[in-house]
Amino acid sequence: MLSLGDLAEPVPADLLAKYDVAGPRYTSYPTVPAWRDDFAPDDFARALRAAGATGTPVALYGHFPYCAAKCFYCGCNAVTTSRPEAIDRYLDDLERELDCVVGELGRFHRTAQLHWGGGTPNHLDDRQLERAFRLYADRFRFTDEVELSLEADPRLVSREQLRTLRALGFTRISFGVQDLDRNVQEAIGRLQSPALVRDVCESAREAGFTGLNIDLIYGLPRQTPESFARTIDEALRLGPDRVACFGYAHLPSSRPHQRVIEEAELPDAPERAALFQLAVRRFTEAGYAWIGLDHFAKADDPLAVAQREGRLHRNFMGYTTMPAAHLVGTGMSAISDVGGAFAQNEARLGPWRERVDAGRLSTVRGLWLSDDDRARKHAIQQLMCNLELAFDDIPPGVDDLRARFAPFEDDGFVEFGVDRVQVTPRGRFFIRNLCMELDAYLPTQQGQGRFSRTV
Ligand code: SF4
């Protein structure tokens, strides 16, 4: 592992300007804009059957779209409601969808991971949480080491809810904190006091959660290095096992609710970079390992150990030590990576409901991966997760990698060794730019306004 020593130096402004382009975050490769609209429910069914035939454990994702109110910065597929009966109806539909999924995959397929995201999974009341859990537990067979995790809004957490979740077997919880400065919180439409977040984290520990994650966002309106430093220090006092520090993606043309955010109050590219660098410095100085693109984990956390040992993985749910060969996404808008294909469910509630009510899968797009896709996907994963690419893993279609990476080598982002190229600490800030050189689809996608800025 290369030293983090030069992180003390700010990344020069000319490099930030040079590499500040629109680009994918590479939660998948090929990225969603490359997927095909003629990938049909029958294709997804075939992919599920292929995964079922292997017998290898799957990871499950459940999407719970409901939130109490819409945050201005939201980039998720979320629906606001205060009506419990709306959530009950969603669970009815989810049950139908899960029946379709296990009809193809096979009932009681072994499952190594279940993660609930949203939306706000803990907008469900205790009865609904128990019912949602049974929807999965009655159809899949959890392995002995299964990890059950969920995302949660601290403002909706109660001690009783945490006890319910623990009784169901959930051991990891990710709290959406974002920023603890009141001024920033007002600008993003999400008020939650540091005292409330502290109380919720303590309650989660008391309830027996062994994995406590905190999500922060940099690049929000009114954030300053001083205010964000206070947020980071407060986050450190919570003692999280893992921290995600995502860059805010301001895309008001495709997310109209973000128009409420005053663009003049957003940090510019150098300021954003400085905020992220601040996070990297503060967390690493506090003993956390910098994981992949934008995560931090305690040095003895399994994610940190996996990265040190070169076996970290990433899927749509985030970084993981569990290389489940198949990820099955359930619920509206959910994405699957299964049986050699990507597939996405209908993202609009009404049309999703119509399809599952008719007893059909709701797939609206997807892609069968070619050998070239698979080779590039693996190479991008290696860079994003393990910060290196062995020459043996260079995709056949990228035999000019050395030439492509020459500008990055000149700028100190990568170092070529005898059998691999390694990403330097400075290069980690530009890792999306490196991956873009391995992306065969990008030349036809750029300029479509689909991607956020890389810096
Ligand atoms: S709680 Fe999360 S998913 Fe819901 S609106 Fe806010 S940011 Fe979006």
Side-chain angles (χ1 to χ4, degrees):
M1 179 68 59
L2 294 163
S3 143
L4 286 172
D6 62 354
L7 288 180
E9 295 300 317
V11 178
D14 61 328
L15 290 182
L16 293 173
K18 182 173 168 187
Y19 292 105
D20 178 21
V21 293
R25 296 181 59 79
Y26 292 110
T27 47
S28 73
Y29 181 83
T31 56
V32 176
W35 300 4
R36 299 176 58 98
D37 293 338
D38 60 0
F39 186 97
D42 282 350
D43 288 301
F44 183 38
R46 185 148 65 90
L48 285 168
R49 287 195 297 274
T54 66
T56 53
V58 297
L60 287 174
Y61 170 76
H63 189 75
F64 294 88
Y66 289 103
C67 295
K70 190 91 166 175
C71 311
F72 304 159
Y73 62 89
C74 180
C76 303
N77 195 315
V79 177
T80 55
T81 190
S82 55
R83 295 186 311 117
E85 55 276 22
I87 298 176
D88 284 330
R89 176 143 187 232
Y90 184 80
L91 295 179
D92 293 343
D93 291 319
L94 186 61
E95 181 163 10
R96 289 187 191 96
E97 184 186 70
L98 284 166
D99 281 336
C100 282
V101 168
V102 297
E104 305 296 346
L105 180 74
R107 210 173 169 89
F108 303 125
H109 194 93
R110 284 194 302 146
T111 299
Q113 195 183 2
L114 170 65
H115 179 74
W116 288 353
T120 305
N122 72 318
H123 193 24
L124 277 63
D125 63 27
D126 284 5
R127 176 187 59 80
Q128 291 167 331
L129 287 170
E130 285 170 5
R131 181 179 172 206
F133 177 76
R134 291 256 51 102
L135 295 183
Y136 292 92
D138 290 347
R139 289 167 178 77
F140 297 88
R141 183 158 61 86
F142 297 146
T143 61
D144 291 343
E145 318 76 44
V146 69
E147 180 178 86
L148 307 181
S149 57
L150 82 162
E151 295 157 22
D153 182 336
R155 299 168 298 176
L156 303 179
V157 169
S158 67
R159 285 189 165 77
E160 193 183 345
Q161 182 182 66
L162 291 167
R163 277 196 294 272
T164 299
L165 288 164
R166 275 295 300 123
L168 294 174
F170 285 85
T171 53
R172 180 172 297 282
I173 191 161
S174 298
F175 290 123
V177 171
Q178 330 308 5
D179 193 292
L180 288 167
D181 182 89
R182 177 87 187 183
N183 197 25
V184 175
Q185 291 186 352
E186 283 172 358
I188 61 172
R190 185 177 174 124
L191 298 179
Q192 49 189 16
S193 70
L196 175 128
V197 174
R198 258 195 315 274
D199 186 45
V200 161
C201 288
E202 279 167 19
S203 299
R205 291 284 194 210
E206 278 166 22
F209 279 88
T210 49
L212 181 65
N213 298 9
I214 295 289
D215 292 347
L216 300 178
I217 301 181
Y218 71 91
L220 291 173
R222 304 185 194 168
Q223 266 178 346
T224 64
E226 295 73 29
S227 75
F228 200 46
R230 285 194 297 275
T231 288
I232 293 168
D233 290 346
E234 183 63 41
L236 282 167
R237 277 194 283 279
L238 303 172
D241 300 286
R242 298 175 186 174
V243 178
C245 187
F246 301 112
Y248 168 56
H250 189 63
L251 298 166
S253 53
S254 53
R255 299 170 186 162
H257 58 274
Q258 290 184 343
R259 292 195 188 122
V260 184
I261 288 181
E262 294 280 346
E263 296 199 353
E265 294 185 335
L266 289 170
D268 63 18
E271 288 165 341
R272 278 173 64 94
L275 290 167
F276 183 57
Q277 273 192 277
L278 179 73
V280 171
R281 269 205 306 278
R282 280 279 220 274
F283 283 113
T284 52
E285 280 167 12
Y288 283 72
W290 182 9
I291 303 294
L293 185 64
D294 46 19
H295 283 55
F296 304 92
K298 283 183 173 168
D300 57 354
D301 184 276
L303 279 191
V305 176
Q307 180 166 273
R308 280 199 295 276
E309 295 175 356
R311 49 179 185 80
L312 187 64
H313 300 267
R314 189 168 184 242
N315 59 30
F316 291 107
M317 302 186 292
Y319 290 95
T320 175
T321 57
M322 288 179 254
H326 307 285
L327 166 64
V328 180
T330 59
M332 60 179 264
S333 78
I335 286 176
S336 300
D337 177 358
V338 67
F342 288 126
Q344 181 168 30
N345 290 348
E346 167 63 54
R348 296 164 300 165
L349 184 57
W352 173 77
R353 171 165 289 151
E354 268 171 37
R355 288 170 192 232
V356 296
D357 279 359
R360 290 185 289 134
L361 294 165
S362 73
T363 320
V364 287
R365 66 181 59 81
L367 189 75
W368 289 105
L369 273 69
S370 66
D371 287 346
D372 182 65
D373 292 334
R374 262 188 282 277
R376 291 175 190 257
K377 178 186 181 194
H378 176 69
I380 286 173
Q381 280 253 351
Q382 285 298 104
L383 285 173
M384 296 284 286
C385 297
N386 299 312
L387 312 170
E388 62 178 23
L389 180 60
F391 295 157
D392 287 347
D393 288 335
I394 293 175
V398 196
D399 49 11
D400 57 346
L401 184 92
R402 183 108 205 192
R404 286 170 183 252
F405 274 18
F408 301 134
E409 194 176 14
D410 292 346
D411 287 325
F413 298 172
V414 294
E415 286 173 3
F416 280 84
V418 280
D419 63 349
R420 62 196 58 232
V421 55
Q422 281 188 294
V423 182
T424 67
R426 172 172 290 179
R428 296 187 65 169
F429 292 99
F430 301 95
I431 215 155
R432 291 165 68 187
N433 301 78
L434 304 186
C435 294
M436 286 164 73
E437 289 299 326
L438 299 169
D439 187 337
Y441 297 88
L442 200 56
T444 58
Q445 295 168 349
Q446 278 172 323
Q448 295 176 2
R450 304 285 300 263
F451 303 125
S452 57
R453 313 297 298 179
T454 53
V455 171

